[in-house]
Amino acid sequence: SIQRSSYPEFILTVNGTPTSIRDVEDYSLVEKELDDKMAALVKEARKAKCVPRHVSSIDVATGQIKVEITSVPENHVFATTPPSCECVRFFTERHKHYPLVIQGPSAGADTTSSALLAELLR
């Protein structure tokens, strides 16, 4: 099962009504407010010598998938990976304390947009 938590539980104001970010369909209505909330997350993380990162995790044993914004230390591999790269860490029986890390270039905008267009045309 997928735990949908891409953003912290932000409550934003849409046309004067408090609304969960998960229910927002037109982000142009909440862009400024969302930017302000994200800036606050960055500021809080910075105080702790951390940076916010979008992190996905899969627990193979339970089948749980989680996607969230979380703060990681400035020297963490997720903090130091360049924006155009992906980074995956595997914790296994052999890699319990020091995960196996695979890092490399992501697909890029051209490849991603081509794949999305191909899916839409199906």
Side-chain angles (χ1 to χ4, degrees), residues 7 12 21-22 24-32 34:
Y7 293 97
L12 305 167
I21 191 167
R22 295 181 177 118
V24 173
E25 292 183 21
D26 183 356
Y27 280 91
S28 68
L29 298 174
V30 295
E31 186 175 1
K32 168 83 169 84
L34 185 56

Side-chain angles (χ1 to χ4, degrees), residues 1-116:
S1 68
I2 296 176
Q3 180 180 351
R4 190 172 172 217
S5 61
S6 292
Y7 293 97
E9 184 51 44
F10 286 153
I11 302 298
L12 305 167
T13 304
V14 179
N15 297 325
T17 304
T19 306
S20 168
I21 191 167
R22 295 181 177 118
D23 298 325
V24 173
E25 292 183 21
D26 183 356
Y27 280 91
S28 68
L29 298 174
V30 295
E31 186 175 1
K32 168 83 169 84
E33 188 176 356
L34 185 56
D35 285 348
D36 292 345
K37 288 182 182 282
M38 290 304 297
L41 279 180
V42 170
K43 186 176 180 179
E44 279 300 309
R46 193 173 291 144
K47 285 181 190 175
K49 296 189 184 217
C50 293
V51 293
R53 289 293 182 261
H54 213 173
V55 177
S56 305
S57 61
I58 301 170
D59 184 329
V60 176
T62 65
Q64 291 290 309
I65 300 170
K66 187 167 71 170
V67 181
E68 63 185 347
I69 295 175
T70 189
S71 292
V72 298
E74 291 173 337
N75 61 349
H76 189 281
V77 67
F78 291 165
T80 60
T81 299
S84 60
C85 288
E86 299 293 333
C87 182
V88 179
R89 297 186 318 159
F90 293 93
F91 289 91
T92 67
E93 283 299 314
R94 290 192 173 137
H95 299 96
K96 288 180 185 174
H97 303 290
Y98 300 100
L100 173 65
V101 176
I102 299 175
Q103 184 176 347
S106 55
D110 292 343
T111 304
T112 303
S113 59
S114 295
L116 289 172

